[in-house]
């Protein structure tokens, strides 16, 4: 790392010219080093003051995630809504009511996941070619059209098609938002804005639970068609606003369009930050050149070659842990509360309360992440989730009383609080920081695809255990998800590195040198020193 004397340099007074391919290596390195120093010594408040527009545009683009979070809870909650079950379900003599059978629950849940896999994969290709802004605006147009199918669906097969098609743009939003957030903001804001993506997901789920609670007591088709129609609110509001969004400067650097990268950085920063634009772009160019020297490829196959294979593994496993740590059971809690024996009205209200706690948990994660880092929160979050889920299982085995049912519901609300304070939000910071800048969008897409595949598996398993027409395990389902959480706890301990406080070029060097996951936090990196001296342990 640079010495304290280096920090006394005033970047505004430097006479070094802009680092272009024609500039000398010394000039380019000097500019990049100055930008790296600023990144490390920029406080949170100063970063907000210097990059207010970056914060604004990242927040606005991430708001598109609200739609996916809204629908995930919506379709799962419909399984517990009497009007929806009467319209689309089959009569079950055992419960003397109409039920959406386990195969159709799987089909509707997994149709979205399959669509999102296609969308995520396409996003990795189109964003690299056309940039974030154009792909985002096109996706907003398509989602507006696809919502019509779900809204007017006369049968489950048509509804399944509608959910599949909606999943395609949702997959694009889900992979675009964290990558964009990590690229438009400085190091001091990177964790906050990437984690904000999860807060949008929680907001979407909270809004959906609130809408469902409001309509749960109503009868007739509008009790489920109006919640579908509310989805139009986001694309209608976001499209005219995001038309003016700036493109990521990293996209222009990867394309060799340095002047456009400068213009983009100017748009993201305040007037005082514009004096440092050339230095910021020089650091991006320096990082890009480091990665090109390691591996010049930018295809999906390159994510599985050389050192990028390890980075892809970490991103994919970190995201796949989310469904396997119990979110299929606790992430959409209304149906579980109903199967645990709670009345319908109370189940919907407890879901609203639980998802409200989830929103608060994501905000709390901002502060805990700054104190303890990504690895610690993610690791111990998985440990706590495993303990909670196993306790739910023991409560279900020990008693079938009303008290036991409420205890299980209370524990699942605690699960929501822990999940949305640790594993849920921290994952978004991890996936954007472990990937290389040249492969970031594709790496994020692959990690999200891993999440969706895991979600398909979990959404297929969970109804077979929980549904009263299938396994009817009720709370004992917690044993299964508690065990899978423990498996990912072990993976995290050995494989997940600490990325807090490291610039992208420093992370490139740590991975290139094969530094072990548990040593990342103890290593200092100087990205402007050649050879083994670039990495050293803290003394």
């Amino acid at each position: 790392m640079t010495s304290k004397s280096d920090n006394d340099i005033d970047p505004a007074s430097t006479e070094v010219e802009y680092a272009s391919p024609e500039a000398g290596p010394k000039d380019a390195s000097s500019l990049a080093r100055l930008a790296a120093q600023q990144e490390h010594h920029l406080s949170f408040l100063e970063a907000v003051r210097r990059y207010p527009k970056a914060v604004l545009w990242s927040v606005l683009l991430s708001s598109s995630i609200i739609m996916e979070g809204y629908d995930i809870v919506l379709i799962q909650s419909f399984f517990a809504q009497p009007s929806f079950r009467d319209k689309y379900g089959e009569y079950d003599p055992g419960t003397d009511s109409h039920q959406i059978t386990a195969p159709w629950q799987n089909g509707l849940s997994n149709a979205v996941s399959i669509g999102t896999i296609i969308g995520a994969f396409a996003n990795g290709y189109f964003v690299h070619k056309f940039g974030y802004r154009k792909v985002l605006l096109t996706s907003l147009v398509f989602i507006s059209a696809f919502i019509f199918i779900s809204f007017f669906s006369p049968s489950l097969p048509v509804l399944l098609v509608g959910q599949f098609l909606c999943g395609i743009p949702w997959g694009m939003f889900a992979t675009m938002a964290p990558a964009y957030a990590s690229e438009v903001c400085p190091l001091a804001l990177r964790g906050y804005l990437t984690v904000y993506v999860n807060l949008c997901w929680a907001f979407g789920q909270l809004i959906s639970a609130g809408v469902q609670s409001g309509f749960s007591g109503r009868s007739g088709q509008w009790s489920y068609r109006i919640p579908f129609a509310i989805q139009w609110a986001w694309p209608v509001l976001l499209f005219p606003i995001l038309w003016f969004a700036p493109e990521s400067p990293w996209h222009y650097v990867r394309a060799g369009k340095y002047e456009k990268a400068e213009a983009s950085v100017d748009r993201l920063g305040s007037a005082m930050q514009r004096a440092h634009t050339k230095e910021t772009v020089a650091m991006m160019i320096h990082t890009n050149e480091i990665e090109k020297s390691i591996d010049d490829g930018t295809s999906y196959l390159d994510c599985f070659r050389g050192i990028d294979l390890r980075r892809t593994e970490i991103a994919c496993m970190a995201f796949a842990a989310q469904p396997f740590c119990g979110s299929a059971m606790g992430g959409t809690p209304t149906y579980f509360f109903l199967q645990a024996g709670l009345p319908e009205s109370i189940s919907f209200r407890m879901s609203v309360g639980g998802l409200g706690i989830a929103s608060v948990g994501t905000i709390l994660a901002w502060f805990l992440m700054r104190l303890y880092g990504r690895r610690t929160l993610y690791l111990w979050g998985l440990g706590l989730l495993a303990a909670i889920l196993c306790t739910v299982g023991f409560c279900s085995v020990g008693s079938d009383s009303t008290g036991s049912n409420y205890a299980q519901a209370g524990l699942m609300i605690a699960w929501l609080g822990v999940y949305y304070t640790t594993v849920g939000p921290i994952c978004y910071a991890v996936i954007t920081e472990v990937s290389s800048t040249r492969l970031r969008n594709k790496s994020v897409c692959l990690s999200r695809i891993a999440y969706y595949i895991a979600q398909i598996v979990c959404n297929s398993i969970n109804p077979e255990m929980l549904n009263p027409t299938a396994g009817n395990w009720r709370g004992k389902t917690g044993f299964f998800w508690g065990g899978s959480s423990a498996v990912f706890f072990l993976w995290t301990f050995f494989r997940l590195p600490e990325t807090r406080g490291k610039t992208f070029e420093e992370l490139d060097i740590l991975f290139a040198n094969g530094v072990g996951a548990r040593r990342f936090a103890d290593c200092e990196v100087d990205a402007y020193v050649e050879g083994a001296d670039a990495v050293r342990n803290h003394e």
Side-chain angles (χ1 to χ4, degrees), residues 39 42-44 47 185-192:
E39 287 270 296
L42 202 61
S43 67
F44 171 78
C185 62
L187 176 61
L189 299 177
R190 193 172 69 199
Y192 296 96

Side-chain angles (χ1 to χ4, degrees), residues 31-205:
L31 281 170
R33 183 188 285 270
L34 286 171
Q37 291 172 15
Q38 293 170 33
E39 287 270 296
H40 278 294
H41 295 90
L42 202 61
S43 67
F44 171 78
L45 292 178
E46 182 64 16
V48 173
R49 194 162 66 95
R50 287 175 178 258
Y51 292 92
K53 296 176 185 177
V55 174
L56 174 65
W57 287 117
S58 176
V59 166
L60 287 171
L61 191 143
S62 297
S63 298
S64 61
I65 296 291
I66 293 174
M67 286 183 285
E68 187 184 14
Y70 178 93
D71 188 78
I72 294 299
V73 171
L74 189 70
I75 197 66
Q76 296 282 345
S77 298
F78 278 152
F79 300 154
Q81 189 187 72
S83 297
F84 185 86
R85 297 202 311 259
D86 290 342
K87 168 67 177 177
Y88 297 106
E90 298 178 7
Y91 181 74
D92 174 40
T95 59
D96 192 27
S97 64
H98 285 78
Q99 295 284 339
I100 307 298
T101 62
W104 272 111
Q105 285 189 23
N106 290 337
L108 289 170
S109 300
N110 293 336
V112 177
S113 297
I114 293 170
T116 49
I117 288 173
I118 295 172
F121 191 85
N123 186 65
Y125 172 78
F126 288 116
V127 166
H128 180 77
K129 187 172 184 179
F130 300 109
Y132 292 92
R133 179 179 169 274
K134 291 180 180 178
V135 176
L136 173 66
L137 293 174
T138 303
S139 299
L140 288 171
V141 172
F142 276 108
I143 189 64
S144 299
F146 294 153
I147 291 170
F148 278 96
I149 301 174
S150 296
F151 179 77
F152 289 107
S153 59
S155 62
L156 283 177
V158 177
L159 180 59
L160 185 144
V161 171
Q163 291 295 288
F164 165 74
L165 291 175
C166 284
I168 296 174
W170 284 330
M172 291 189 167
F173 299 143
T175 50
M176 195 181 308
Y180 184 84
S182 70
E183 292 192 356
V184 299
C185 62
L187 176 61
L189 299 177
R190 193 172 69 199
Y192 296 96
L193 292 179
T194 51
V195 165
Y196 175 77
V197 173
N198 190 76
L199 185 60
C200 290
W201 178 280
F203 280 157
Q205 292 185 315

Side-chain angles (χ1 to χ4, degrees), residues 244-317:
F244 301 98
E247 184 54 75
S248 164
W250 285 93
H251 170 70
Y252 288 130
V253 167
R254 289 189 287 267
K257 300 176 181 179
Y258 301 144
E259 291 184 1
K260 288 189 175 182
E262 268 197 86
S264 183
V265 171
D266 282 341
R267 287 195 61 193
L268 292 166
S270 63
M272 72 174 69
Q273 184 59 30
R274 286 175 193 150
H276 310 308
T277 295
K278 293 184 184 296
E279 298 145 25
T280 301
V281 175
M283 184 179 65
M284 294 178 182
I285 295 171
H286 186 264
T287 304
N288 191 55
E289 292 302 318
I290 288 176
E291 294 180 0
K292 286 170 68 176
S293 68
I294 298 170
D295 188 351
D296 195 27
T298 56
S299 69
Y300 272 113
L301 286 177
D302 289 302
C303 293
F304 299 96
R305 292 173 177 160
I307 63 170
D308 286 305
L309 175 59
R310 179 188 176 194
R311 303 175 85 157
T312 302
E313 175 224 327
I314 294 169
C316 289
M317 290 294 286

Side-chain angles (χ1 to χ4, degrees), residues 480-530:
F480 182 87
W481 298 120
S484 63
S485 297
V487 171
F488 277 94
F489 175 89
L490 292 174
W491 173 86
T492 301
F493 180 79
F494 291 105
R495 299 294 291 170
L496 184 67
E498 178 57 71
T499 55
R500 176 182 56 169
K502 300 287 193 298
T503 65
F504 291 132
E505 57 189 350
E506 290 168 354
L507 290 170
D508 288 337
I509 292 170
L510 286 170
F511 279 110
N513 282 271
V515 175
R518 286 176 284 174
R519 290 183 52 227
F520 260 59
D522 297 325
C523 287
E524 290 185 349
V525 183
D526 190 334
Y528 304 92
V529 174
E530 297 292 335

Side-chain angles (χ1 to χ4, degrees), residues 9-21:
I9 299 173
D10 180 9
S13 67
T14 181
E15 299 296 331
V16 182
E17 294 298 325
Y18 173 60
S20 67

Side-chain angles (χ1 to χ4, degrees), residues 254-477:
R254 289 189 287 267
K257 300 176 181 179
Y258 301 144
E259 291 184 1
K260 288 189 175 182
E262 268 197 86
S264 183
V265 171
D266 282 341
R267 287 195 61 193
L268 292 166
S270 63
M272 72 174 69
Q273 184 59 30
R274 286 175 193 150
H276 310 308
T277 295
K278 293 184 184 296
E279 298 145 25
T280 301
V281 175
M283 184 179 65
M284 294 178 182
I285 295 171
H286 186 264
T287 304
N288 191 55
E289 292 302 318
I290 288 176
E291 294 180 0
K292 286 170 68 176
S293 68
I294 298 170
D295 188 351
D296 195 27
T298 56
S299 69
Y300 272 113
L301 286 177
D302 289 302
C303 293
F304 299 96
R305 292 173 177 160
I307 63 170
D308 286 305
L309 175 59
R310 179 188 176 194
R311 303 175 85 157
T312 302
E313 175 224 327
I314 294 169
C316 289
M317 290 294 286
F319 234 146
Q322 286 192 336
F324 277 104
C325 69
S327 60
M329 174 176 157
T332 52
T334 304
Y335 188 72
F336 171 76
F337 291 158
L338 200 62
Q339 300 312 312
L342 272 64
E344 287 178 359
S345 59
I346 294 177
S347 295
F348 280 104
R349 290 171 189 168
M350 289 192 73
S351 293
V352 175
L355 291 169
I357 292 172
S359 301
V360 175
T362 303
I363 297 171
L364 182 61
W366 284 339
F367 301 97
L368 295 177
M369 181 175 59
R370 185 173 183 177
L371 291 173
Y372 301 109
R374 283 73 158 140
R375 173 184 161 87
T376 301
L377 277 183
Y378 201 88
L379 178 69
W380 293 109
L382 284 169
L384 286 172
L385 293 177
I388 291 172
L389 289 165
C390 288
T391 305
V392 170
F394 283 118
C395 287
S396 180
V397 170
S399 173
D400 195 27
S401 64
T402 301
S404 173
N405 294 340
Y406 277 97
Q408 292 173 54
L411 284 166
M412 292 313 298
I413 289 178
W415 182 97
L416 284 167
V418 173
Y419 176 86
Y420 279 99
T421 306
T422 56
V423 175
I426 301 305
C427 178
Y428 287 94
V430 170
I431 63 169
T432 55
E433 291 175 342
V434 299
S435 56
S436 66
T437 60
R438 289 177 62 77
L439 292 170
R440 173 169 299 120
N441 197 63
K442 287 184 171 63
S443 180
V444 170
C445 289
L446 286 172
S447 68
R448 192 66 180 177
I449 288 170
Y451 166 84
Y452 289 132
I453 292 173
Q455 189 178 58
I456 289 173
V457 173
C458 293
N459 285 343
S460 299
I461 295 172
N462 197 63
E464 297 297 333
M465 294 186 289
L466 197 58
N467 195 291
T469 65
N472 198 26
W473 287 16
R474 305 179 72 178
K476 290 184 284 294
T477 308

